[in-house]
Amino acid sequence: MPVNYKIHGIDVSKFQKNINWKAVKQMKVDKIRMSFAFIKATEGITRQDEAFQRNWDNAGKAGLIRGAYHFFYSTRDPIKQAINFQNVVDLQSGDLPPVLDIETSNNQPAAVIRSTAKIWLEEMEKAYKVKPIIYTNIHFYETYLGDEFDDYPLWIAHYYQKERPASKRSWIFWQHSDIGRVNGIRTTVDFNVFKGDSAALAKMLIP
């Protein structure tokens, strides 16, 4: 686990199967415990993660801060993708902003990826009245997104680094491992940290 971070979390989807969220929340190892969870909600224009509602409800009941993410395709209508997410996710006060998971180009040029992503992000901001978070890896961000998206909070994936991701761009969440083990989850799970303290995290949440 990277040192110098106080706030740790996971991200999950149906692939983590049936999660015991109370056990996730209660686990404590070397002063580290899980405080937040990003949960897959939707993908493209028609798909919903079959475990989303169960994970969303039970993570909330267990006392974890929740965030929901949408797996985005630049080859699909971004408005319809936004509607798919809104139909599934009822974000409440105290939840994290919606997340755009954008990590596949589908052989689209950068201009198309940028323009479609921007439409989805703007729709989210209209619907939920908060700036959405972008999730991606360093290579994808630098190749396809670039400085047009520097105003958005960034959740960056860069695995197995000791102290920080090797990104010049400022970030707020860091997915640092895809082989985490947590009580209450039978499979491996992604580990994340938040860059900041509990007051900074509270400021990010939906009011």
Side-chain angles (χ1 to χ4, degrees):
M1 297 290 269
V3 291
N4 304 326
Y5 297 93
K6 290 185 176 149
I7 301 175
H8 297 260
I10 55 175
D11 60 273
V12 301
S13 68
K14 66 182 181 185
F15 297 111
Q16 272 69 44
K17 308 204 164 63
N18 209 341
I19 296 171
N20 179 341
W21 284 99
K22 277 188 185 159
V24 173
K25 177 67 175 164
Q26 286 164 0
M27 185 181 91
K28 187 175 182 185
V29 179
D30 296 335
K31 295 188 180 172
I32 290 171
R33 44 194 340 158
M34 297 300 130
S35 302
F36 65 87
F38 286 111
I39 300 167
K40 184 176 182 181
T42 48
E43 179 172 334
I45 59 175
T46 56
R47 288 186 222 165
Q48 290 97 32
D49 189 286
E50 63 202 38
F52 172 72
Q53 207 57 58
R54 181 179 72 230
N55 282 332
W56 187 253
D57 294 343
N58 292 339
K61 281 178 195 158
L64 284 130
I65 293 168
R66 310 172 298 184
Y69 72 89
H70 172 81
F71 192 93
F72 185 80
Y73 293 103
S74 53
T75 50
R76 305 277 191 277
D77 184 327
I79 299 279
K80 287 180 179 170
Q81 292 190 74
I83 290 165
N84 186 19
F85 184 88
Q86 288 170 56
N87 285 343
V88 171
V89 183
D90 178 23
L91 291 178
Q92 305 282 332
S93 172
D95 291 331
L96 285 157
V99 179
L100 176 73
D101 176 345
I102 181 164
E103 53 187 285
T104 176
S105 71
N106 291 108
N107 297 314
Q108 297 298 300
V112 169
I113 292 168
R114 285 197 296 272
S115 63
T116 53
K118 202 152 257 184
I119 290 166
W120 190 93
L121 291 163
E122 285 166 358
E123 287 299 307
M124 288 298 108
E125 198 160 350
K126 272 189 253 173
Y128 297 106
K129 308 291 185 279
V130 288
K131 218 164 187 55
I133 296 165
I134 294 174
Y135 165 86
T136 193
N137 58 69
I138 292 168
H139 176 261
F140 193 93
Y141 193 92
E142 290 176 353
T143 307
Y144 296 105
L145 299 179
D147 50 16
E148 275 182 52
F149 294 83
D150 283 353
D151 286 347
Y152 289 93
L154 181 64
W155 170 19
I156 195 82
H158 192 199
Y159 298 151
Y160 323 133
Q161 307 299 305
K162 275 193 173 169
E163 293 180 13
R164 67 182 68 83
S167 172
K168 298 185 218 79
R169 158 79 152 85
S170 63
W171 52 272
I172 51 154
F173 290 98
W174 170 28
Q175 187 185 73
H176 60 81
S177 173
D178 57 352
I179 51 170
R181 287 282 179 187
V182 176
N183 291 1
I185 301 179
R186 292 194 296 275
T187 66
T188 54
V189 66
D190 298 332
F191 272 157
N192 301 273
V193 291
F194 174 72
K195 187 184 186 182
D197 59 14
S198 53
L201 183 58
K203 270 188 194 162
M204 280 209 68
L205 304 180
I206 290 175

